[in-house]
Amino acid sequence: MLYAGFMSSAPPPFPKPPESLGPPHLLEVGPAPDEPCLRADAARNRARLLEAAARLIAEHGVEGVTMEAVAAAAQVGKGTVFRRFGDRTGLLTALLDHSAKQLQADFLGGPAPLGPGAPPLERLRAFGVAVLYRSAEQLDLQLAAQPHPTRRFSHPAALALRTHVTVLLRKLVPTADCDLLAQTLMASLDPALIHHLIRQCGMPMERLETGWMDLVARVTRTEPPR
């Protein structure tokens, strides 16, 4: 499998406050802009709740994640979970944001070809495959935590990924409408589409990888890897 090593089956550990991604990042992914900076104890409680939610997903799937179940697993009152995340969607979004930060750190400062140091074409190929595997591993979570349609494309996580693709495209096809092309490429990586192709159509990941490589080749007018 091409670039399959980028995505580990084990999720990264939840960071202990204060958190730092190391390399500069395109867009901040995480708490809403109007959320005040967390005190150290509040941040520890937040990480503890997310760890409890992640364990529940691993054991029972996304359906097993309720505010009551997370509170019980973390040994806190249910009100604490509601105060921290608002509702179940907010909790699932926070879990997804943690994974999005890890992916963002990988393509901004991780090893090539996903990270800096490789030609733009190789980085674009590797990026799509990394997103494919991340989505395949987290399909239920991604679908459950998807923002409302009116905010879906403006969510910070989506903006960060699309901005990265746009930057790479401007190096590869500088005369094209790279903003619109980036939207088109990202549409092929939509979690709902991946769910349909994998679970409803039974397509193997190898076919989706090859399809991404072919799409990139056609958009950039290059030859797909052999």
Side-chain angles (χ1 to χ4, degrees):
M1 295 182 182
L2 296 172
Y3 306 114
F6 288 141
M7 301 308 295
S8 169
S9 59
F14 288 98
K16 299 298 186 274
E19 177 185 6
S20 173
L21 292 181
H25 52 274
L26 295 174
L27 289 170
E28 183 64 26
V29 180
D34 59 349
E35 182 176 351
C37 293
L38 299 179
R39 300 188 312 273
D41 58 341
R44 281 192 294 271
N45 287 337
R46 185 176 191 273
R48 181 181 174 187
L49 291 168
L50 290 175
E51 288 169 355
R55 288 196 304 272
L56 288 171
I57 288 179
E59 295 170 1
H60 308 291
V62 174
E63 295 80 6
V65 178
T66 65
M67 304 300 265
E68 294 81 1
V70 171
Q75 298 181 328
V76 300
K78 185 172 65 174
T80 300
V81 188
F82 279 97
R83 284 193 298 272
R84 182 70 270 141
F85 301 106
D87 55 20
R88 183 175 182 270
T89 299
L91 173 61
L92 296 176
T93 299
L95 279 169
L96 203 55
D97 282 348
H98 174 67
S99 172
K101 280 186 176 182
Q102 183 62 45
L103 175 62
Q104 192 178 153
D106 287 343
F107 68 68
L108 285 169
L114 182 58
L121 181 58
E122 290 185 24
R123 294 192 68 193
L124 184 58
R125 291 170 177 165
F127 169 83
V129 176
V131 173
L132 277 173
Y133 274 91
R134 171 177 173 262
S135 294
E137 291 174 357
Q138 304 176 333
L139 268 181
D140 292 333
L141 175 59
Q142 291 207 19
L143 292 177
Q146 229 173 28
H148 187 275
T150 59
R151 295 183 289 108
R152 184 173 170 187
F153 300 104
S154 60
H155 189 276
L159 286 172
L161 300 184
R162 193 166 64 247
T163 298
H164 179 61
V165 171
T166 302
V167 169
L168 294 176
L169 285 173
R170 285 175 179 162
K171 296 177 181 178
L172 292 165
V173 282
T175 60
D177 187 343
C178 294
D179 292 323
L180 192 55
L181 277 183
Q183 296 274 13
T184 302
L185 286 176
M186 290 306 301
S188 70
L189 301 173
D190 182 80
L193 175 61
I194 295 173
H195 177 275
H196 170 69
L197 296 177
I198 293 176
R199 297 191 180 175
Q200 297 176 337
C201 298
M203 290 188 185
M205 287 299 296
E206 289 84 354
R207 184 175 177 184
L208 299 190
E209 287 184 30
T210 301
W212 171 257
M213 299 298 180
D214 181 65
L215 179 59
V216 168
R218 293 174 187 276
V219 166
T220 60
R221 297 181 181 180
T222 59
E223 290 294 323
R226 299 187 183 277

